[in-house]
Amino acid sequence: MTSAPPRRFGFLMFPKYEELDLIGPWEMATMWRDYAGGPQCLTISETGGPVTCAKGLKSVADVSFADCPMLDYLLVPGGFSAFDEMNNERLVGFVRGRASVAQHVLSVCTGAFILHAAGLLKGRCATTHWKAMDQLRQLPDVTAVKQRWVRDGTVWTS
């Protein structure tokens, strides 16, 4: 009898990401893992290693883009720096590539703009932080919805 490969939940980190956007979901996913047989959880950044968050907290990515195993779930946090990162082709390419095989891709806050840059919001409903809602409404091929969270197929925004 062979066992199924482990499910994995990846949490994307980039310079100045908003701490709460990753730490809150991390806590819920690890509780899922620990108490209900949920997936392994790992943090990912472009080069691996230390990443400084928006408020100065230093976090450490478990793996780099190059070393990242297959993912079943990918979470993209937000923060003001997401607007810079949506122009980072390596990061956007990583998200696009992982999203093509993941079961679900999730964003928090302005992480939705990275999903858009990766082509994942085309023809979908999505939401973001209320301060960025007007900017989301201006993006082509996205229906901006003012809700706490939106699930449109395999893509979740909050």
Side-chain angles (χ1 to χ4, degrees):
M1 180 174 155
T2 59
S3 62
R7 291 177 297 151
R8 291 189 185 96
F9 198 138
F11 292 80
L12 183 64
M13 297 175 154
F14 48 83
K16 298 190 180 206
Y17 74 86
E18 189 62 44
E19 291 91 331
L20 185 59
D21 292 359
L22 188 140
I23 302 304
W26 172 270
E27 182 172 354
M28 297 310 298
T30 55
M31 288 176 66
W32 176 24
R33 176 197 67 203
D34 294 346
Y35 298 108
Q40 295 176 350
C41 298
L42 68 150
T43 53
I44 309 149
S45 71
E46 189 168 342
T47 59
V51 179
T52 302
C53 303
K55 310 298 185 301
L57 177 70
K58 299 213 183 333
S59 54
V60 179
D62 296 314
V63 296
S64 69
F65 292 171
D67 298 328
C68 185
M70 295 302 297
L71 300 172
D72 297 284
Y73 314 97
L74 174 63
L75 180 125
V76 178
F80 291 118
S81 65
F83 295 109
D84 295 326
E85 293 301 323
M86 65 187 276
N87 297 308
N88 176 343
E89 189 49 46
R90 287 195 68 215
L91 183 134
V92 169
F94 174 81
V95 171
R96 183 182 305 117
R98 294 310 166 122
S100 71
V101 294
Q103 292 178 30
H104 295 276
V105 178
L106 306 92
S107 69
V108 178
C109 192
T110 55
F113 291 86
I114 293 173
L115 297 189
H116 179 266
L120 303 177
L121 297 185
K122 185 174 183 175
R124 296 188 190 268
C125 293
T127 194
T128 190
H129 189 280
W130 64 269
K131 284 186 178 180
M133 193 56 113
D134 287 340
Q135 289 168 279
L136 186 66
R137 286 188 183 105
Q138 294 172 13
L139 295 176
D141 300 324
V142 178
T143 301
V145 181
K146 190 176 180 181
Q147 293 179 193
R148 279 242 185 237
W149 57 271
V150 173
R151 177 183 180 185
D152 191 333
T154 61
V155 177
W156 301 63
T157 55
S158 63

